[in-house]
């Protein structure tokens, strides 16, 4: 339960061996293993009657012949449950629909981290107009590719410049999604518009924030979403990610 205390369980000739250490500083083990034998990082050995208040440091100790095995087995079972839940979330992350677009020069394409898995963005340049087979593109060529080389982020460091009559379109399957758009407006206040949803969106955008987020949007049928802006600015990236449990 204490994230600063780590345990590694080994099998030593058919018997359990625990290694315990802290990430930083000292902390009590917080786990009563009963009577046991302990070897420290320098080879010194002690016989302990209990370990609940045993002080652990970044130098690992090795615990053998534990009288109370239920204590560490309970932790291991809880860990196994946690790992199964993590794997289930990872499988859902792999299976869910993801529409990820990164705008600007093709040599600065970012990745989206979802449940510990990296998913690549589709690069979109200013010249990429709508293509039926491809399923995404601008209605007209964007004004230019923009590159802020001093910004380290591959997502926020580049984009495509847009004006009022430009929109980015992409084909989307039905479902419930979360939507976020990285956009830098030239005006102090502006709107990012999203058409093609069950309920069209007009999301306020400030010059400072450079992104808009809608936690839940619904696409009722196969459609083409369009993202536009009511002035000048740079679209940097788009994330549309299907939410867990969304019906297909």
């Amino acid at each position: 339960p204490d994230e600063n205390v780590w345990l590694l369980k080994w099998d030593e000739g058919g018997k359990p061996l625990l290694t315990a250490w802290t990430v930083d500083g000292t902390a009590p083990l917080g786990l009563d293993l009963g009577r046991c034998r302990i070897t420290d990082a320098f080879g010194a050995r002690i016989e302990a009657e209990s370990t609940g208040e045993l002080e652990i440091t970044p130098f690992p100790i090795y615990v053998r012949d534990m009288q109370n095995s239920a204590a560490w087995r309970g932790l291991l079972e809880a860990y196994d449950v946690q790992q199964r839940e993590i794997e289930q979330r990872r499988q859902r992350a792999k299976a869910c629909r993801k529409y990820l677009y990164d705008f600007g020069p093709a040599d600065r394409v970012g990745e989206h981290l979802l449940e510990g898995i990296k998913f690549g963005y589709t690069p979109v340049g200013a010249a990429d107009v709508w293509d039926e087979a491809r399923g995404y593109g601008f209605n007209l060529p964007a004004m230019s590719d923009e590159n802020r080389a001093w910004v380290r982020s591959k997502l926020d460091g580049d984009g495509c410049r847009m004006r009022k009559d430009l929109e980015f379109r992409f084909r989307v399957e039905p479902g419930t999604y979360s939507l976020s758009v990285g956009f830098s407006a030239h005006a102090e206040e502006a709107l990012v518009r999203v058409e093609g949803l069950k309920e069209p969106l007009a999301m306020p955008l400030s010059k400072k924030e450079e992104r808009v987020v809608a936690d839940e949007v619904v696409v009722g049928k196969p459609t083409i979403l369009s993202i536009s802006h009511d002035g000048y600015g740079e679209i940097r990236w788009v994330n549309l990610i299907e939410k867990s449990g969304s019906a297909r």
Side-chain angles (χ1 to χ4, degrees):
D2 184 347
E3 292 185 358
N4 190 40
V5 179
W6 282 71
L7 294 176
L8 188 61
K9 185 262 179 183
W10 306 79
D11 180 64
E12 184 183 47
K15 293 183 179 180
L17 164 65
L18 290 184
T19 306
W21 71 96
T22 63
V23 176
D24 185 40
T26 61
L29 179 60
L31 186 69
D32 189 2
L33 301 169
R35 189 180 299 112
C36 59
R37 291 192 303 116
I38 298 174
T39 305
D40 69 17
F42 305 98
R45 299 180 180 182
I46 63 171
E47 301 284 339
E49 292 298 320
S50 65
T51 60
E53 298 302 319
L54 183 68
E55 190 175 79
I56 306 300
T57 74
F59 295 100
I61 63 169
Y62 305 88
V63 188
R64 296 175 172 86
D65 300 333
M66 294 157 282
Q67 185 183 46
N68 181 16
S69 63
W72 66 263
R73 291 184 189 280
L75 276 183
L76 189 58
E77 289 171 1
Y79 171 81
D80 288 340
V81 169
Q82 180 191 64
Q83 293 304 300
R84 286 195 294 271
E85 291 173 348
I86 290 173
E87 181 58 26
Q88 288 171 359
R89 292 199 300 270
R90 287 170 63 90
Q91 292 303 319
R92 288 196 293 269
K94 290 179 182 178
C96 74
R97 293 189 177 101
K98 293 168 285 290
Y99 301 89
L100 307 173
Y101 299 98
D102 184 5
F103 298 84
D107 59 350
R108 296 193 70 184
V109 181
E111 294 177 317
H112 183 76
L113 188 65
L114 186 61
E115 297 295 347
I117 305 172
K118 292 180 179 180
F119 297 94
Y121 280 75
T122 298
V124 182
D128 291 330
V129 295
W130 170 262
D131 179 271
E132 185 69 28
R134 185 175 57 195
Y136 67 87
F138 293 102
N139 62 322
L140 299 168
M143 298 175 68
S144 61
D145 290 317
E146 299 294 320
N147 185 16
R148 298 187 293 181
W150 61 92
V151 178
R152 295 185 64 183
S153 168
K154 290 182 178 179
L155 288 178
D156 293 315
D158 59 358
C160 292
R161 181 168 292 190
M162 296 179 70
R163 59 180 182 265
K164 189 173 183 179
D165 62 340
L166 284 168
E167 60 183 47
F168 175 69
R169 301 169 174 171
F170 59 107
R171 187 182 294 115
V172 179
E173 293 297 316
T176 301
Y177 298 85
S178 61
L179 170 68
S180 53
V181 181
F183 201 105
S184 297
H186 290 192
E188 288 297 326
E189 295 183 354
L191 289 175
V192 171
R193 303 183 186 278
V194 183
E195 303 285 341
L197 302 168
K198 272 193 171 182
E199 297 291 336
L201 288 178
M203 298 186 285
L205 175 73
S206 74
K207 197 170 185 178
K208 284 185 178 181
E209 291 175 354
E210 296 194 342
R211 69 180 60 195
V212 289
V213 176
D215 290 331
E216 185 171 297
V217 297
V218 179
V219 177
K221 59 182 180 180
T223 191
I224 296 172
L225 295 192
S226 67
I227 297 175
S228 60
H229 172 246
D230 56 0
Y232 287 96
E234 285 89 43
I235 187 168
R236 303 204 180 281
W237 47 266
V238 171
N239 295 348
L240 185 71
I241 300 175
E242 190 177 25
K243 303 192 75 169
S244 177
S246 177
R248 294 204 176 177

